Amino acid sequence: MTFEQLIPAPARAEGPHSEGFILDSSTALRAGPGTESTERWLRATLGGALGLPLAPGEGAGISLAIDDSLAPEAYRLSATQSGIEIAGGAAPGVFWGAQTLRQLVGPEAFRRAPLRAAGRYAVPGCLVEDSPRFGWRGMMLDVARHFMPKDGVLRYLDLLAAHKLNVFHFHLSDDQGWRVEIKRYPKLTEESSWRPRTKWGHRASELWNDTPHGGFYTQDDIREIVAYAHERHIAVVPEIDIPGHSQAAIHAYPELGNTDVVDTASLGVWDSWGINPNVLAPTENTLRFYEGVFEELLELFPSTFVHVGGDECPKDQWKASPAAQARIKELGVGDEDGLQSWFIRHFDSWLTARGRRLIGWDEILEGGLAEGATVSSWRGYGGGIAAAKAGHDVVMCPEQQVYLDHRQDGGPDEPVPIGFVRTLEDVYRFEPVPPQLTEEEARHVLGTQANVWTEVMEHHARVDYQVFPRLAAFAEVAWSTLPAPAERDFADFERRMTPHYARLDALGVDYRPPGGPLPWQKRPGVLGRPIDGAPPNV
Ligand code: ACM
């Protein structure tokens, strides 16, 4: 394994210039102040994979240090015959350097136990100097449409770390399920974390899966997930979606819905897909309820950013509801877009007063963007461009490029194919910063994330299939400073994917093989939406 096979590609690398260093049972691990998280990770993960103690000591080995002349996420890794030195600008940089070391050792370093006793592992003599292009390198996982049990989430955090991704956007509520325990509102999980059946395929499919589906994370599960992420220098950004995508919450607490136009007490947890008309009522009671939800979330999630959704909120019920219309007049917000904006502004000030920052999908621009809001630009670049030009921060995640639920090949064998065809190469050529932004405006692009909506991913193997290998290309886009899309060397990336597939195999990832799905990865007869260019909402 050589440095030329790293993914994401480092900013600068020299070598191999010597035989390098041999890791064996005598290899010491020395950790300077501030590098303890990487010390623990190396001993547990690399040591566990290779069967090496990586004990503290003075002998030849791996040294970790902070070098504050480097940026916090930057690192320098030097491997010579006398040892390996990893210096990072701060703890995260040291950790990303350790991820590079793991790749340099080879695919065996991605296993959980050694293949042989008393192994010796060569690290090529090299110097790697590296730092990320973007500070926000994320993946959003929808655990509402299909629940992912906690061990699967922890596994995804490891997969993000292995790709130097540092934000996990956790989509915890939707029409089809509520996934986080809120102590003051127990019915959210008692009644709304389960649904009796689930549409099997695209919403136009005739098929149902009649096995009840559901699950939720207890507050202790969430604490464990957040701590596990923190140890890996990943921020967990929770999302509770308001005022749309709220039928599960309305099922548990019918007074949250527009009771004057719909019999909210009869609404179940939704069992199909698409944009749902049952949205929150614009009342003081609704605001107090969600302040209660967010109060508990702030205790659980230390991240600066808190996502409030804001997407796909149909305004039909508010148009029909005398109570909502009276509210529009009373608040002086003009129309239904103004009501949506009123919801978001309320939580923008509420979060700001608590030292946090609101982020929402680009529909939060409609009716006027709240003062401190950051925008997840998903319906293309447009929302992100408008927000950045108005001085707001932006995370670029356009559905046309980085929605990993969309099919990755145009062939008939893709399982439940939906949305656009977006291949590994398409993702590799994704550019997060659009040319319409000036250099100054482009500084508002905090970074980028890939989004994983799980309507047609019924379990973790299906999630793996959609996410990999494309997340590897996405990680290189987010971390590495690449040429303009048309000039990117995809052939070189593909060459580096050969060892990367070996790493994914060692990790047990059910990726899509380059030749197409394996028999058990197909879903013959389950309807997708096989019209390229169709709107992707499923
Ligand atoms: C979204 O895809 N509805 C944000």
Side-chain angles (χ1 to χ4, degrees):
M1 196 62 42
T2 77
F3 73 91
E4 289 145 326
Q5 297 177 329
L6 297 172
I7 288 182
R12 207 169 85 78
E14 283 171 19
H17 54 51
S18 70
E19 282 178 15
F21 186 73
I22 304 293
L23 296 171
D24 64 19
S25 59
S26 69
T27 298
L29 174 58
R30 279 180 296 283
T35 70
E36 296 81 1
S37 60
T38 300
E39 178 190 20
R40 286 189 289 273
W41 182 86
L42 274 172
R43 204 163 274 137
T45 307
L46 191 65
L50 305 180
L52 306 180
L54 301 179
E58 291 310 309
I62 305 168
S63 306
L64 308 177
I66 302 290
D67 173 352
D68 54 22
S69 71
L70 299 172
E73 289 203 287
Y75 70 90
R76 185 177 57 245
L77 182 155
S78 147
T80 66
Q81 272 162 293
S82 50
I84 294 168
E85 290 175 13
I86 300 174
V94 180
F95 185 69
W96 306 131
Q99 293 295 341
T100 293
L101 172 62
R102 188 192 198 187
Q103 292 199 2
L104 290 169
V105 172
E108 280 178 66
F110 290 78
R111 293 184 181 271
R112 296 207 193 183
L115 304 185
R116 51 209 154 93
R120 289 162 55 80
Y121 303 88
V123 177
C126 63
L127 176 67
V128 180
E129 290 175 310
D130 200 8
S131 60
R133 178 178 177 201
F134 293 110
W136 184 303
R137 306 179 302 280
M139 190 185 99
M140 185 222 72
L141 183 66
D142 165 16
V143 294
R145 271 53 176 271
H146 280 100
F147 180 62
M148 182 181 279
K150 183 198 71 185
D151 62 336
V153 173
L154 299 177
R155 173 177 172 274
Y156 258 86
L157 292 169
D158 280 325
L159 292 171
L160 296 194
H163 292 82
K164 299 189 173 78
L165 298 174
N166 68 346
V167 176
F168 179 62
H169 172 171
F170 206 7
H171 184 79
L172 286 165
S173 74
D174 218 301
D175 300 302
Q176 295 86 357
W178 185 283
R179 304 287 176 227
V180 54
E181 177 187 26
I182 300 295
K183 302 256 190 217
R184 72 189 78 181
Y185 307 126
K187 288 198 282 184
L188 286 172
T189 45
E190 285 168 7
E191 298 192 6
S192 292
S193 70
W194 297 91
R195 57 179 184 257
R197 65 172 191 171
T198 299
K199 177 61 66 181
W200 183 219
H202 181 264
R203 67 170 174 274
S205 160
E206 308 264 291
L207 304 176
W208 294 95
N209 181 340
D210 284 314
T211 307
H213 176 84
F216 67 92
Y217 310 102
T218 66
Q219 295 204 347
D220 278 348
D221 291 338
I222 295 286
R223 288 187 185 93
E224 181 185 359
I225 288 167
V226 168
Y228 197 83
H230 181 75
E231 186 77 356
R232 285 153 183 75
H233 303 281
I234 296 171
V236 184
V237 174
E239 179 185 352
I240 294 294
D241 208 337
I242 58 167
H245 286 286
S246 297
Q247 186 168 317
I250 295 169
H251 167 66
Y253 295 96
E255 65 274 19
L256 294 173
N258 294 289
T259 52
D260 56 346
V261 288
V262 61
D263 175 16
T264 57
S266 71
L267 294 174
V269 174
W270 206 20
D271 52 15
S272 189
W273 316 124
I275 300 180
N276 187 303
N278 296 304
V279 305
L280 298 177
T283 63
E284 288 301 312
N285 174 64
T286 303
L287 294 186
R288 298 293 91 72
F289 182 93
Y290 278 90
E291 285 171 4
V293 169
F294 283 116
E295 263 171 34
E296 294 193 30
L297 287 186
L298 295 194
E299 291 284 314
L300 296 170
F301 293 95
S303 72
T304 303
F305 285 96
V306 174
H307 208 293
V308 301
D311 58 321
E312 298 178 325
C313 177
K315 308 295 187 300
D316 310 290
Q317 289 187 355
W318 293 346
K319 283 193 179 121
S321 156
Q325 290 301 315
R327 205 64 178 133
I328 289 171
K329 286 213 181 65
E330 181 193 336
L331 296 167
V333 295
D335 60 12
E336 294 77 22
D337 280 346
L339 268 190
Q340 151 113 2
S341 174
W342 167 81
F343 261 110
I344 304 299
R345 282 180 205 279
H346 177 83
F347 284 101
D348 181 51
S349 339
W350 190 91
L351 286 166
T352 303
R354 286 155 185 79
R356 307 297 185 100
R357 292 180 61 188
L358 176 142
I359 181 165
W361 301 111
D362 57 54
E363 288 93 330
I364 68 171
L365 283 149
E366 290 160 10
L369 194 52
E371 199 180 334
T374 295
V375 169
S376 303
S377 190
W378 76 276
R379 292 178 298 177
Y381 289 101
I385 292 169
K389 286 193 182 293
H392 289 262
D393 287 339
V394 171
V395 174
M396 281 294 182
C397 48
E399 61 175 338
Q400 294 84 351
Q401 275 85 8
V402 286
Y403 266 36
L404 300 184
D405 46 329
H406 293 188
R407 66 190 105 166
Q408 47 203 321
D409 188 86
D413 286 341
E414 289 309 302
V416 203
I418 57 166
F420 304 105
V421 176
R422 290 299 175 257
T423 63
L424 182 64
E425 179 165 0
D426 292 330
V427 174
Y428 192 65
R429 296 195 193 281
F430 163 57
E431 172 50 48
V433 178
Q436 293 90 334
L437 296 182
T438 64
E439 211 169 296
E440 169 134 9
E441 288 160 357
R443 274 190 225 117
H444 286 295
V445 179
L446 302 180
T448 180
Q449 66 181 39
N451 294 336
V452 183
W453 302 101
T454 58
E455 289 94 335
V456 297
M457 295 174 220
E458 66 277 14
H459 53 52
H460 94 254
R462 278 288 290 123
V463 176
D464 279 8
Y465 180 90
Q466 293 302 129
V467 170
F468 291 100
R470 293 184 292 183
L471 196 72
F474 174 78
E476 186 147 309
V477 167
W479 176 279
S480 310
T481 301
L482 298 175
E487 277 128 54
R488 291 182 190 167
D489 188 349
F490 181 67
D492 173 67
F493 178 76
E494 262 193 316
R495 215 165 16 251
R496 286 181 286 121
M497 276 307 293
T498 299
H500 202 66
Y501 282 120
R503 294 173 197 132
L504 297 178
D505 282 329
L507 285 164
V509 175
D510 278 302
Y511 56 82
R512 179 188 189 278
L518 300 167
W520 53 89
Q521 292 175 320
K522 298 178 189 175
R523 295 287 181 274
V526 185
L527 184 71
R529 190 174 206 172
I531 310 160
D532 194 22
N537 304 307
V538 292

